[in-house]
Amino acid sequence: QVQLVESGGGSVQAGGSLKLSCTASRFTYDTYWMGWFRQAPGKEREGVASINSDGVTSFADSVKGRVTISQDNAKNTLYLQMNSLKPEDTAIYYCAARVWASWYHRPPTLDMSDYPLCGQGTQVTVSS
């Protein structure tokens, strides 16, 4: 069974940076989508960034230019580098994944409903 474990969350001041990591255990698939989603108190979960096995990425408008998503396949690890953090970035950040048949090569979405595998989340708090 695939397990996704996030780490790297914490508290930072506005303008600071954080790098989140997501380690996927027993993840041996060649064709997949992986993404970062977040949920702030009282708000719905929203997509932040996603990447597919070809390296194609998608970003939410609210974070474009401030975040990068990357993956280290040798380590089965997904990263989210967040810079110029704002108080509105405060949320629990979740790593999620979906595997596909080998022939399915499409850009990844930012729709959480497309990702059946999800980690427990890591808290990010940005103070002004």
Side-chain angles (χ1 to χ4, degrees):
Q1 184 176 347
V2 173
Q3 187 175 19
L4 304 176
V5 179
E6 303 94 337
S7 62
S11 297
V12 297
Q13 290 192 327
S17 299
L18 277 176
K19 186 174 185 177
L20 306 183
S21 299
C22 170
T23 301
S25 61
R26 295 181 286 277
F27 196 86
T28 59
Y29 306 97
D30 294 328
T31 309
Y32 56 82
W33 292 353
M34 292 194 76
W36 289 97
F37 299 81
R38 66 186 182 186
Q39 187 165 20
K43 295 188 177 181
E44 293 188 353
R45 198 169 295 189
E46 63 176 359
V48 177
S50 58
I51 187 169
N52 71 5
S53 45
D54 297 322
V56 177
T57 57
S58 298
F59 294 94
D61 289 341
S62 60
V63 302
K64 279 181 181 176
R66 300 191 296 120
V67 308
T68 56
I69 186 170
S70 60
Q71 54 191 349
D72 184 335
N73 292 332
K75 296 181 178 180
N76 272 4
T77 301
L78 179 74
Y79 302 101
L80 184 72
Q81 175 68 51
M82 301 187 292
N83 302 319
S84 302
L85 284 162
K86 304 175 181 180
E88 51 263 43
D89 294 317
T90 295
I92 299 175
Y93 283 71
Y94 298 89
C95 171
R98 177 166 187 163
V99 298
W100 292 104
S102 60
W103 50 265
Y104 194 88
H105 295 268
R106 300 287 295 275
T109 69
L110 293 174
D111 186 343
M112 187 71 194
S113 65
D114 290 334
Y115 296 77
L117 304 171
C118 186
Q120 295 299 307
T122 185
Q123 177 71 48
V124 171
T125 302
V126 185
S127 58
S128 57

